[in-house]
Amino acid sequence: MRRHPLLVAGEAVTTSTGGELEVRNPADDSVVDVVAQAGPAELEAALVAASAAADSGVWGSVSATDRGRVLRRAADLLRERAEDFAWAEVRTAGHTIADARWEAGAMADVVDYYAGAANKHTGSVVPTPDPGLGLVLRVPVGVCGLIVPWNFPMLIATWKLAPALACGNPVVLKPASLTPVTAVMLGQVLLDAGVPPEAVSILPGPGSSIGESLVTDPRVAKVSFTGDSATGSHLMARVAPNVTRISLELGGKSAAIVFPDADLEAAVDAIPYSVFANAGQDCCARSRILVHRSVYDDFTAAFAARTEQLVVGDPSDESTEIGPLITEAQRATSLDYLDVARAEGAEVVCGGTPSGPGWFLEPAVVAGVDNEMRVAREEIFGPVAAVIPFEDEADAVRIANDSEYGLSGTLWTRDLGRAVRVGTAVRTGVMSVNTNRSVRTELPFGGFKRSGIGRELGLAALDHYTESKTLFLSAD
Ligand code: NDP
């Protein structure tokens, strides 16, 4: 069993007031790692150091070019240690080794991207009637409190850490209690690369105490949260008294919309991965498959047949495509939704069989779904796809938008005009055409409605981690 410290102002703390946290392997429920957990004393020490770092500018006054150099070293270290990260993600999050290797590479790419962006986020000079120079600067926002979930723990951590650090801010990151290991490893990479210790704290600990105290502390200037919509909404209210800046990346119930003119073979081949990858534990999962009535039956049969071919099993096996769910409770939620779907009159066409010793579940295709059913309205966060018929383009847009979420989606069509019309009419932060992928490092990512506020990735993320400051130089 591996033991890990937490990091308080860059210092590895093995004996903490928060005790220890056992981390389990979702593939067999064994305890695989033990992590020191933050208590109030460690949180306070991290915040004292971070706010002193923000005040002294120990990191913020390092030139943006040099901050970029440090992050570039971090990206190189991530590549050197990619296998360690990948296997930790397999062991503690249940990701397949193929996905985890991709994720490890993507982490390095994200850090590289913000290394390059560090000295390119510029302000402006604005003409004014009185003589002088009106300068609009972008300055570090201050201490950043970062909260990440368990579904893509190491990658989502870099989406927050890299732009926050590129902009010169100290960071205090709280990983999900189910998956804290890679966050500590990532903190160590940042320190090894040369980020000043005072600017880096990684605090595993309960969301309800350490997480809540972190985001409500007045020394924290900016909160970035990814997780459940209900938690995000709660946190938005909790940060209001301090008027703390907050960005939220929350849940989804995205649609893959299959038009009859699409390359149906390509759609059938791709769509299972857009909903079942990572065992469906993906905020971008296209868990509603909207299919034109004229091809609905043929598509559903082919989609179910393709789904049955997915290789579910041991995540450390390179040929495995779908690993376990994160916990027994997470699997139970999916199973409950299948019962609800049957009770509401839908048909489970394939999948839905659990297996052990870990939290495996055969991906399930549910047909005959009406968008009013719970299986179509609620984020399940498991391998359950609801296939819903639509009549025409307007109906597809109506159904896609009839959701409290608006995160991602895919249009399957060869009609460019249709792609433009529907792509702009569906209220989601990201829409892809003829591809599953929603997330690209260079492009903004985030949601409408209960899917969140603010955008991560791309240059847009830099705005969250800086504040505008107006400086007027009089020429009188
Ligand atoms: P949460 O939103 O509760 O957790 C996400 C992160 O927030 C974790 O680090 C958690 O810490 C932390 N957290 C929880 N409560 C607070 C709080 N009051 N203040 C500060 N931080 C807090 O999601 P869960 O992990 O509990 O998952 C619940 C459901 O949310 C899932 O079943 C899934 O449906 C959905 N979900 C959606 C995600 C998405 O990206 N859309 C991501 C994760 C979950 P800790 O782990 O210690 O509780």
Side-chain angles (χ1 to χ4, degrees), residues 147-151 174-178 205-208 211-212 215 225-228 231 234-235 249-252 283 330 379-381:
I147 305 225
V148 293
W150 45 260
N151 57 330
K174 194 210 85 65
S177 296
L178 293 169
S208 54
E212 188 111 3
V215 301
F225 169 84
T226 300
D228 192 32
T231 315
H234 166 77
L235 292 185
E249 200 272 279
L250 308 174
C283 51
Q330 199 66 28
E379 184 179 45
I380 298 175
F381 230 59

Side-chain angles (χ1 to χ4, degrees), residues 30-172:
S30 61
V31 176
V32 279
D33 292 55
V34 174
V35 179
Q37 189 166 241
E42 289 78 24
L43 174 63
E44 179 59 19
L47 286 171
V48 166
S51 61
D55 290 346
S56 71
V58 64
W59 178 238
S61 63
V62 170
S63 78
T65 300
D66 284 339
R67 290 200 301 264
R69 286 197 180 104
V70 170
L71 288 178
R72 187 84 68 202
R73 273 200 296 278
D76 291 343
L77 288 173
L78 284 172
R79 291 200 176 89
E80 280 172 26
R81 301 178 196 174
E83 278 293 289
D84 292 345
F85 275 94
W87 284 106
E89 199 81 330
V90 172
R91 195 170 72 237
T92 63
H95 289 199
T96 67
I97 182 60
D99 287 352
R101 284 192 174 123
W102 173 85
E103 211 185 326
M107 280 191 347
D109 291 345
V110 168
V111 176
D112 247 345
Y113 176 82
Y114 287 107
N119 61 4
K120 296 172 193 68
H121 191 232
T122 55
S124 56
V125 183
V126 179
T128 56
D130 42 344
L133 285 177
L135 307 179
V136 183
L137 312 177
R138 299 298 312 184
V139 297
V141 68
V143 176
C144 294
L146 311 175
I147 305 225
V148 293
W150 45 260
N151 57 330
F152 291 99
M154 61 185 189
L155 184 55
I156 291 176
T158 61
W159 293 3
K160 300 183 191 304
L161 289 167
L165 288 167
C167 293
N169 302 292
V171 293
V172 180

